[in-house]
Amino acid sequence: MTEIASTSDTFARLAAVIESRRPAEGGDPTRSYVARLLQKGPDGFLKKIGEEATEVVMACKDADHGGAREKIVNEVADLWFHCMVALAHYGLSPGDVAVELARREGMSGIEEKALRKAEARDAAGD
């Protein structure tokens, strides 16, 4: 349980740093990578998310052929970081993601996907 608690703490601290670097909060794009990404708007950080996701895939493929598994961790960290920038841009937090994952806990992926489809159909029918 300590790993989960410390993971939550890490995400909360990182989210606070990202939030503090938003240009609206005084983040300086000339001094902060986060401020620069957020200043560019969604096109900037969404491009990075795509790049990082591809790098995760490549690191996994490399590990399948003898590459360093640590590279997967490094690339996932980059991906998660850029996803956290996106969350901040849209006024969301890692806690929102944790709540959604907790909601899905114990539910099969097939069941969860079917539920989302049914909810989307119901919403479209309203």
Side-chain angles (χ1 to χ4, degrees):
M1 190 66 171
T2 21
E3 182 179 328
I4 293 172
S6 85
T7 300
S8 296
D9 293 346
T10 299
F11 282 123
R13 284 191 310 273
L14 183 54
V17 169
I18 290 169
E19 187 65 31
S20 74
R21 300 216 174 131
R22 292 177 59 149
E25 300 297 322
D28 181 356
T30 64
R31 298 176 44 129
S32 166
Y33 175 70
V34 170
R36 191 174 327 133
L37 273 177
L38 290 169
Q39 183 183 44
K40 290 179 183 178
D43 286 345
F45 59 78
L46 293 176
K47 179 180 176 187
K48 286 301 294 180
I49 289 171
E51 290 172 8
E52 299 302 341
T54 300
E55 290 174 9
V56 169
V57 170
M58 297 310 298
C60 291
K61 298 296 271 179
D62 289 347
D64 286 339
H65 299 284
R69 292 176 45 200
E70 297 80 26
K71 181 82 171 159
I72 298 169
V73 172
N74 293 335
E75 297 302 343
V76 169
D78 291 346
L79 176 61
W80 287 6
F81 171 80
H82 288 90
C83 288
M84 289 178 67
V85 171
L87 288 170
H89 173 80
Y90 293 106
L92 300 166
S93 74
D96 296 316
V97 177
V99 166
E100 176 59 14
L101 290 172
R103 183 190 70 77
R104 295 179 186 186
E105 189 174 6
M107 185 183 305
S108 82
I110 294 169
E111 179 185 4
E112 194 276 330
K113 186 174 182 177
L115 181 60
R116 278 189 289 139
K117 283 184 178 182
E119 288 171 348
R121 278 194 305 270
D122 289 348
D126 288 343

